[in-house]
Amino acid sequence: MQNNKATIKAWAMFDWANSAYNLVITSTIFPAYYTIITTTPEHGDQVSFFGRTFTNTALSNYALSVAYLIMALSLPVLSSIADFRGNKKVFMKVFTYIGSIACAGLFFFKLETLELGIICFVLAAMGYIGGVMFNNSYLPEIASVDQQDRVSAKGFAYGYVGSVILQIICFVFVLKPDLFGITDGSLPARLSFLLVGIWWISFAQIPFKKLPAGSMNHAKIAKSKVSNGFEELLKVWKQVKMMTQLKRFLLAFFFYSMGVQTIMLVAAGFGEKVLKLGTSKLIAIILVIQIVAILGALIMSYFAKKIGNIRVIIFVLTIWIGVCCAAYFVQNEFQFYIIAAVVGLVMGGIQSISRSTYSKFIPANTPDTASFFSFYDVTEKIAIVIGLFSFAYIEEFTGSMRNSAISLAGFFIIGLVILLSLLYLKPENQPPMTES
């Protein structure tokens, strides 16, 4: 049943639950904690990981790119199984438990347990990625086309609010450990990782109870072939090729996602390593980003109704290009605050509008939405792999994260050019779903 308020609220609560990971682990406390404990007087920013030496921040970015690559290769298979069996909620649960338990495992992360910490870091990312993909696939199922922009924005807004609440709780532990009798300097950060795991797994129970299990697609290929999820991607791709607008949008999305997602994942590490901001200032900055992002997601949804999704994304991409250029020249924390505020304004907007734009392109009454969103997520994940890997490689090759930052502008420019060409395409009738 579409547009049911209780179902939509429960769906949005999944963003509330897992966005704490995105904020604490990828954006604030973990990057600062990781950079601090892996920078030593003896070895500088060089660390040994299973006998091989890496630049510390490059290692974490390489690790994330591996997590995204694994998920890009495995999600097609898993989404195919979910579509055939009609049990995508089961996969949401599995990934949620993997991610939340891995976050809790980061409680034991210290320099002497670097390998364990990186492994938990990778598993947490995989859990987050998988859960988000299956949650996204519910959007066309629970909301009609005219409501998908609003519902998508609501999900991101819930995510930002929930993550900010937990971030404030963690903020107290980090800034005022003496209030809790904490004398171990690393304990506040590690305790924050534990709280993320508990928060994530607890609030996820709400969507687990309310969301439908998924509809079984009896018309799909034989069960003996269901494990070959890449056949499903090929099937989706064959239909995408017949939809010129969707094909061009996905190509643009692929390039600008390299920039958007990479910036979101490396921003805190950049602030700590380049500007030496410290954990408390980084948390404050990211909190500002999250709060502004709530407003940004709602503003973008409003303007999408007025001028159209594609025009809104084009405008936002020009801002992202400016952000990359500004990051190259930033010299002090005040300038970084300004950049952070701008990032916050456009971060939630571009994610929300991109998700709902893609959802609108999917043919009506499509039963295997998980496969379509698997295609979308594989596109995004491969873009992230390339973005993170290139960012890490350029830093190691040139010795500067500034060079990595300015290089991301190229991805946004390519995406912008493709979207501009999309404006001149004539509207098309999307073909119906057909079996291959």
Side-chain angles (χ1 to χ4, degrees), residues 109-159:
F109 179 32
K110 294 185 177 181
L111 181 58
E112 53 268 27
T113 58
L114 177 66
E115 287 82 4
L116 172 64
I118 293 296
I119 290 172
C120 285
F121 181 53
V122 169
L123 289 174
M126 291 171 62
Y128 174 78
I129 295 163
V132 167
M133 194 286 291
F134 284 104
N135 189 54
N136 283 349
S137 71
Y138 275 102
L139 183 56
E141 185 175 338
I142 65 173
S144 57
V145 172
D146 63 309
Q147 293 295 313
Q148 285 171 11
D149 283 338
R150 181 188 64 82
V151 173
S152 181
K154 183 174 185 176
F156 279 104
Y158 268 53

Side-chain angles (χ1 to χ4, degrees), residues 12-311:
M13 285 301 296
F14 193 78
D15 277 343
W16 174 292
N18 68 10
S19 291
Y21 157 83
N22 223 7
L23 183 55
V24 176
I25 306 301
T26 65
S27 301
T28 55
I29 298 178
F30 181 84
Y33 173 78
Y34 172 83
T35 303
I36 290 170
I37 69 168
T38 56
T39 303
T40 62
E42 297 82 10
H43 304 289
D45 64 355
Q46 301 299 297
V47 294
S48 177
F49 182 70
F50 287 113
R52 182 175 177 181
T53 300
F54 293 89
T55 300
N56 55 2
T57 46
L59 172 62
S60 62
N61 288 330
Y62 284 139
L64 265 184
S65 67
V66 167
Y68 279 97
L69 180 60
I70 292 173
M71 296 307 294
L73 295 176
S74 61
L75 282 178
V77 176
L78 299 179
S79 64
S80 174
I81 296 173
D83 274 337
F84 181 84
R85 296 181 178 175
N87 64 344
K88 59 186 174 184
K89 187 161 70 172
V90 171
F91 288 95
M92 279 181 64
K93 290 182 177 180
V94 170
F95 281 112
T96 295
Y97 294 141
I98 290 173
S100 57
I101 292 172
C103 280
L106 288 172
F107 177 79
F108 303 101
F109 179 32
K110 294 185 177 181
L111 181 58
E112 53 268 27
T113 58
L114 177 66
E115 287 82 4
L116 172 64
I118 293 296
I119 290 172
C120 285
F121 181 53
V122 169
L123 289 174
M126 291 171 62
Y128 174 78
I129 295 163
V132 167
M133 194 286 291
F134 284 104
N135 189 54
N136 283 349
S137 71
Y138 275 102
L139 183 56
E141 185 175 338
I142 65 173
S144 57
V145 172
D146 63 309
Q147 293 295 313
Q148 285 171 11
D149 283 338
R150 181 188 64 82
V151 173
S152 181
K154 183 174 185 176
F156 279 104
Y158 268 53
Y160 292 132
V161 173
S163 59
V164 165
I165 291 174
L166 182 61
Q167 179 72 91
I168 292 173
I169 296 172
C170 296
F171 199 22
V172 175
F173 281 110
V174 171
L175 289 186
K176 298 292 182 180
D178 51 296
L179 293 178
F180 307 93
I182 298 175
T183 56
D184 182 349
S186 70
L187 184 57
R190 294 187 294 112
L191 187 59
S192 298
F193 308 151
L194 177 61
L195 289 176
V196 169
I198 296 172
W199 177 282
W200 189 353
I201 203 169
S202 298
F203 283 104
Q205 301 308 312
I206 297 174
F208 291 164
K209 289 180 180 179
K210 293 286 186 179
L211 289 177
S215 56
M216 185 177 294
N217 187 359
H218 297 284
K220 291 176 66 67
I221 56 178
K223 188 173 182 179
S224 60
K225 296 182 180 180
V226 74
S227 60
N228 191 354
F230 293 99
E231 288 186 8
E232 291 301 295
L233 281 191
L234 181 60
K235 176 183 171 182
V236 173
W237 171 240
K238 287 179 179 178
Q239 296 187 66
V240 168
K241 288 194 297 183
M242 298 170 65
M243 309 172 197
T244 306
Q245 290 177 314
L246 177 55
K247 181 173 63 176
R248 197 164 295 188
F249 169 74
L250 274 174
L251 184 60
F253 173 75
F254 175 72
F255 281 102
Y256 72 68
S257 287
M258 293 183 196
V260 172
Q261 300 297 332
T262 301
I263 288 175
M264 291 167 60
L265 292 169
V266 304
F270 182 92
E272 174 60 35
K273 191 168 188 178
V274 175
L275 300 177
K276 312 294 183 185
L277 294 179
T279 304
S280 60
K281 290 181 179 178
L282 281 175
I283 292 176
I285 290 170
I286 300 299
L287 279 176
V288 170
I289 290 178
Q290 296 300 112
I291 293 171
V292 174
I294 298 172
L295 180 62
L298 298 175
I299 290 175
M300 298 306 169
S301 176
Y302 171 79
F303 279 105
K305 291 182 179 179
K306 298 294 183 181
I307 64 174
N309 292 32
I310 299 300
R311 286 184 173 85

Side-chain angles (χ1 to χ4, degrees), residues 408-419:
L408 295 179
F411 299 137
F412 287 114
I413 292 172
I414 295 173
L416 177 62
V417 171
I418 297 171
L419 282 182

